[in-house]
Amino acid sequence: FYLLFAVALLWRKPLVPTVSMLLLFVVGIGALTPRPPAPLTVFGPLVLEFGIGLWIAHLTSNGVVLGRTAAVIVFAAALAALVATDALPQAQIERGRLLLWGLPAAAMVMAAVSLEPWIRVRRWRLARLLGDASYSIYLSHGFVLPVIGIAAVKTGLHGCVGMTAGL
């Protein structure tokens, strides 16, 4: 994703559409490889979730946000959709990851960003703390999540239930 972003910057084309097209191209290459070796897993549909995030940033930077009521409804519906995937077999989730996890997660992000002005005026300490810590969490999650995953498996927790308990 970051490499494609850099290519788009060097190419000096409109950033969001260019990166989006490059992401679709890369995923198309990945689709032609039925069992890609580990380094080529970056060609999987997961990178499209980065593209969705790019579009969310682009839209919200240009003033496109959900109203407060719509944002709350979208957030709740997306959360319910994520929790509902817990009842699905893992193989089905993996095949439909973008639709089953990516789009609901993107909807939650869009809703959260849309609610940000409303939350900001309330000066919620926990929201501020999480926001300040978010980059540190992002940097460390690769080390922490495997440990949480092992603990979840050993305790019999899985899916959204296990993820929630891990948080």
Side-chain angles (χ1 to χ4, degrees):
F1 172 75
Y2 296 111
L3 178 63
L4 295 177
F5 199 87
V7 168
L9 286 173
L10 290 172
W11 201 1
R12 300 198 187 276
K13 299 286 182 193
L15 188 62
V16 175
T18 302
V19 171
S20 299
M21 292 307 295
L22 290 171
L23 288 172
L24 288 171
F25 177 73
V26 163
V27 171
I29 291 172
L32 297 175
T33 310
R35 283 262 196 211
L40 296 183
T41 57
V42 297
F43 294 142
L46 177 63
V47 298
L48 294 177
E49 294 178 30
F50 286 97
I52 294 169
L54 185 66
W55 276 100
I56 290 171
H58 176 71
L59 291 170
T60 57
S61 295
N62 288 300
V64 178
V65 293
L66 303 171
R68 186 172 68 194
T69 303
V72 170
I73 292 169
V74 166
F75 190 93
L79 181 60
L82 283 174
V83 170
T85 65
D86 197 39
L88 298 174
Q90 187 63 32
Q92 186 176 352
I93 292 171
E94 289 173 16
R95 281 192 309 274
R97 179 192 163 94
L98 181 64
L99 294 175
L100 296 172
W101 282 355
L103 294 182
M108 289 175 74
V109 169
M110 183 67 178
V113 170
S114 297
L115 288 170
E116 191 174 339
W118 182 74
I119 292 170
R120 184 182 311 126
V121 298
R122 277 143 186 82
R123 300 184 188 266
W124 289 348
R125 189 167 182 209
L126 178 61
R128 178 63 176 223
L129 180 66
L130 289 173
D132 290 346
S134 65
Y135 192 64
S136 296
I137 293 168
Y138 168 73
L139 291 176
S140 64
H141 81 280
F143 303 107
V144 175
L145 287 182
V147 174
I148 291 173
I150 291 167
V153 168
K154 288 186 184 257
T155 59
L157 298 174
H158 58 78
C160 287
V161 174
M163 286 190 294
T164 303
L167 291 174

